[in-house]
Amino acid sequence: MKTILRGINNEVTIDTKGPVIIIGECINPTRRKKLVSTLQEGKFEYVLELAESQIKAGADVLDVNVGFPGVNDVKLLPAAVLAIRGSFDIPLCLDSPNPKAIEAALKVAGGKCLINSVNGEEKSLNALLSIAKEYEAAIIGLTMDDDGITHDPEKRLAIGEKILERAVKAGIKEEDVIIDPLAMAVSADSEACIVTLETIRLVHQKLGLNITMGASNVSFGLPGREDLNSAFISLAIMNGLTCPIANPEKITAAVRAADLVLGRDDFAVRFVEYFQSRM
Ligand code: THG
């Protein structure tokens, strides 16, 4: 299964057969005070710096999240998208809980974006599927619904299945649905990673769709975050993860290594290129 995303001239294919595509997570105000303060001043230089450093480090797609308390993201998300578009031709993943902000950003983004995110709640499906269809965007479907988040991988799979069915009914192509099995902090719940890994395996096997997740979520509150994230992402890739949302400066090495180990990097070309580019 292939999901194609586009900037203006630049096309990125996410293929369930790999190699892994990296969605850069860093344009996100969570614990980035400088991003909040510069966005509040209406300045986008720091957003552009984060875009550039992530692209250099291996990001294929950029997640754009400008959410912080009190923000008017219906204005700010499209403004950030336009700023990025002015300098970088890379597919964008529009990350907001507000459908109006997503739609406003889609209006100015061009290309083919990824909507982050839809979930199995009726409210979410009703608000976003028609928008995705109208702007020919792909969607990330979070495996949670009106009953919240379940710990049962089979139930997460069923929610993914429901999102897929509803999306196809709304006229969205099957390949434009990417499932998020929900990665959560393992410090708070020792089974968190196992549940996510099993959900990935099931979604890969039963639905055959591309799979994303916020790979850095698992290490919240712990030391050694890079090592933990790398271990988790490698196992997740083995099970069918194809397009993690992560910090490319910290994860690309592990991703290139996993692709090499899984026989997706003939003569280790990409692996070697990555390390040469970092010298
Ligand atoms: N699924 C989907 N989208 C998502 C998430 C997900 N978007 C948001 C989030 N989860 C993924 N993005 C981030 C962004 C930053 C961090 C974690 C996940 C993060 N930031 C550092 C911190 O908090 O310490 C600070 C920045 C840094 O040093 O890198 O960890 O699950 N679909």
Side-chain angles (χ1 to χ4, degrees):
M1 190 89 67
K2 288 181 185 173
T3 311
I4 295 172
L5 302 179
R6 274 185 232 101
I8 300 306
N9 298 302
N10 173 17
E11 186 170 288
V12 168
T13 302
I14 310 170
D15 189 339
T16 44
K17 297 198 174 82
V20 172
I21 293 300
I22 297 172
I23 304 176
E25 73 180 11
C26 300
I27 302 175
N28 185 323
T30 310
R31 292 199 241 175
R32 264 185 208 275
K33 283 199 187 129
K34 184 173 171 189
L35 190 54
V36 177
S37 60
T38 56
L39 286 173
Q40 279 170 332
E41 291 165 11
K43 293 190 175 139
F44 295 104
E45 287 86 354
Y46 186 50
V47 169
L48 297 183
E49 265 176 48
L50 290 170
E52 183 172 16
S53 56
Q54 290 184 96
I55 292 167
K56 271 196 186 136
D60 303 290
V61 176
L62 294 179
D63 190 78
V64 186
N65 183 318
V66 294
F68 53 84
V71 69
N72 177 355
D73 57 353
V74 179
K75 285 225 163 100
L76 193 55
L77 191 61
V81 162
L82 276 177
I84 296 166
R85 266 285 167 272
S87 300
F88 304 100
D89 187 9
I90 183 166
L92 300 177
C93 175
L94 307 171
D95 191 351
S96 167
N98 181 357
K100 290 203 162 60
I102 299 266
E103 185 169 16
L106 285 168
K107 272 196 179 128
V108 301
K112 182 170 173 193
C113 295
L114 185 54
I115 294 177
N116 189 10
S117 56
V118 174
N119 63 56
E121 293 177 57
E122 283 306 313
K123 196 178 76 181
S124 171
L125 296 168
N126 291 334
L128 284 162
L129 294 181
S130 56
I131 293 176
K133 167 70 182 161
E134 184 178 345
Y135 293 90
E136 290 177 34
I139 60 171
I140 293 177
L142 299 183
T143 52
M144 54 188 276
D145 65 10
D146 292 291
D147 295 329
I149 296 176
T150 162
H151 257 64
D152 180 346
E154 293 279 356
K155 287 188 184 152
R156 288 193 191 176
L157 168 67
I159 297 168
E161 235 166 344
K162 169 178 144 181
I163 294 170
L164 175 61
E165 269 173 31
R166 294 282 295 269
V168 168
K169 255 195 203 152
I172 296 163
K173 291 190 200 120
E174 190 185 24
E175 64 263 31
D176 283 338
V177 179
I178 297 179
I179 299 297
D180 185 327
L182 305 181
M184 286 176 305
V186 72
S187 57
D189 170 8
S190 64
E191 304 262 294
C193 291
I194 289 285
V195 171
T196 307
L197 289 171
E198 178 59 7
T199 306
I200 292 172
R201 196 186 65 79
L202 288 170
V203 170
H204 177 69
Q205 193 182 60
K206 310 255 162 139
L207 304 182
L209 297 176
N210 277 304
I211 299 173
T212 186
M213 67 179 184
S216 319
N217 299 347
V218 298
S219 61
F220 277 128
L222 290 171
R225 288 188 69 176
E226 268 182 62
D227 295 306
L228 182 51
N229 293 347
S230 298
F232 181 55
I233 211 163
S234 305
L235 297 166
I237 290 167
M238 174 91 199
N239 279 17
L241 173 74
T242 50
C243 49
I245 302 170
N247 182 345
E249 306 217 27
K250 296 178 177 166
I251 210 70
T252 305
V255 164
R256 292 286 182 276
D259 276 332
L260 177 59
V261 166
L262 291 173
R264 299 158 162 186
D265 184 5
D266 289 348
F267 306 105
V269 169
R270 295 184 86 222
F271 185 79
V272 172
E273 260 174 18
Y274 172 73
F275 283 97
Q276 281 172 344
S277 79
R278 303 305 282 177
M279 287 197 307

